[in-house]
Amino acid sequence: MTSVTPQPAKHKKARALKPSSRRPAKELCSECGLCDTYYIHYVKEACAFLNQQIADLETKAHGRSRNLDHPDDWYFGVNQKMITAKKINPIEGAQWTGIVSTIAMEMLKQGKVEGVVCVQNTKEDRFQPMPIIARTPEEVLAARVNKPTLSPNLSVLEQVEQSGMKRLLVIGVGCQIQALRSVQNELGLEKLYVLGTPCVDNVNREGLQKFLETTSRSPETVVHYEFMQDFRIHFKHEDGSIEKVPFFGLKTNQLKDVFASSCMSCFDYVNSLADLVVGYMGAPFGWQWILVRNDIGQELLDLVQDQLETQPVMSKGDRKQAVQQSIPAYDKGVTLPMWAAKMMGVVIEKIGPKGLEYARFSIDSHFTRNYLYLKRNHPEKLEAHVPEYAKRIVEQYKLPD
Ligand code: FAD
Ligand code: SF4
């Protein structure tokens, strides 16, 4: 009998790209980090912007893909349950109440995983992402709060395989998770948990600076910000003060090119492939919105259930007219005078969509905008890149040519 020398997996012979090299997805690259590792070997199949394969990956991760006969599936993806929740004792300095960080810390404390992929910031810059594999709850805690910039979370994947780690939790946004799902069987893991957040309108570090400088009264003191359900952006400053700027008063003409091209071409706002998703936009103000996509997601949620106050999801209002009106306004880069923007914000907040209907409003507005962006800038990608569920969402509206 001849002995066979085990061959290293093919990907180990591949070379990560240098930071300065152009990525395979070119300007659509979201800097997810995959190409910073030898898993670049799989990029043609795995990259969310080269090979949109959400339906297939949903089947692998959740046992089924979206049911296209159900509009709620178009919007929210495969899920067993949706609830709204907040931590009874919120984590100071978290983006919302810190449900994501709490789950990840519990996973380590209870020995369910050996590491957590998450993203801290560099010492010099609170908004410069620094992905890590956290091995202690303290390291997870230090990764709390959004880095509102493209973050190469998957750049640490080589370290996972090299460390011999067998059980891992990854926290990430949709494009990162799509690539992760494609390569998850190559990581040498026995168990993978995926905890996602929704994501939209992300920017690179320079884009973030421009956004802050055009929109906030004091860009250098912003600690975090969020596009809120009251149709305003809430900037939290170092001194704890909150500055509110109405969406309708944004200088759209100056901000048109700020968002990354990847985010202008993204149709995975709600992180379709994560086991559990924690956001806010389907919840009343102050609450977080949780989607349990499969049994693994339920296992993640169960870990912190006793630390949460929960209530059922609700839905109120009708978004359709507001979305239809926002389409040409955004397209033409119309900016309202601040007094009119404030007034419009107040009226819409009173009579506008709430709960899940607000989430649908936000999804509709972004998908119609992104569809137009793709049609104008990458028409050759339109057919294959836009998932079937997103086409159905967009078809509900009249779009300019
Ligand atoms: P925390 O406990 O503060 O933990 C935040 C976690 O996010 C950390 O573990 C960190 O590792 C991870 N993280 C931070 N920045 C990034 C990044 N750039 N890429 C990947 N992971 C990151 N929710 C909505 O409902 N609607 C939205 O439109 C929406 N937009 C978002 C845009 C961005 C860029 C991001 C990162 C998140 C967005 N979210 C959105 C999710 C929401 O803002 C909160 O992150 C989520 O509700 C969790 O809050 P928390 O207090 O539990 O998180
Ligand atoms: Fe590579 Fe990720 Fe960029 Fe695609 S999005 S080219 S996988 S770094």
Side-chain angles (χ1 to χ4, degrees), residues 94-101 118-119 143-151 153 171-173 176 197-200 202 226 269 278-281 288-289:
Q95 183 71 15
W96 280 79
T97 69
I99 295 178
V100 167
S101 300
C118 54
V119 49
R144 70 193 181 282
V145 82
N146 291 357
K147 296 8 162 229
T149 42
L150 300 176
S151 172
N153 280 24
I171 301 174
V173 298
Q176 299 159 358
T197 68
C199 181
V200 81
N202 215 339
E226 194 82 81
Y269 196 169
V278 182
Y280 66 89
M281 67 181 171
Q288 291 187 258
W289 175 47

Side-chain angles (χ1 to χ4, degrees), residues 115-117 154 157 168-172 177 180 192-196:
V116 175
V117 173
L154 302 188
L157 283 190
L168 182 74
L169 169 68
V170 176
I171 301 174
I177 301 307
L180 173 75
L192 172 70
Y193 295 84
V194 181
L195 174 51

Side-chain angles (χ1 to χ4, degrees), residues 23-25 29-35 43 47 49:
R23 284 357 199 192
C29 173
S30 69
E31 296 170 30
C32 76
L34 189 85
C35 295
V43 67
C47 174
F49 302 94

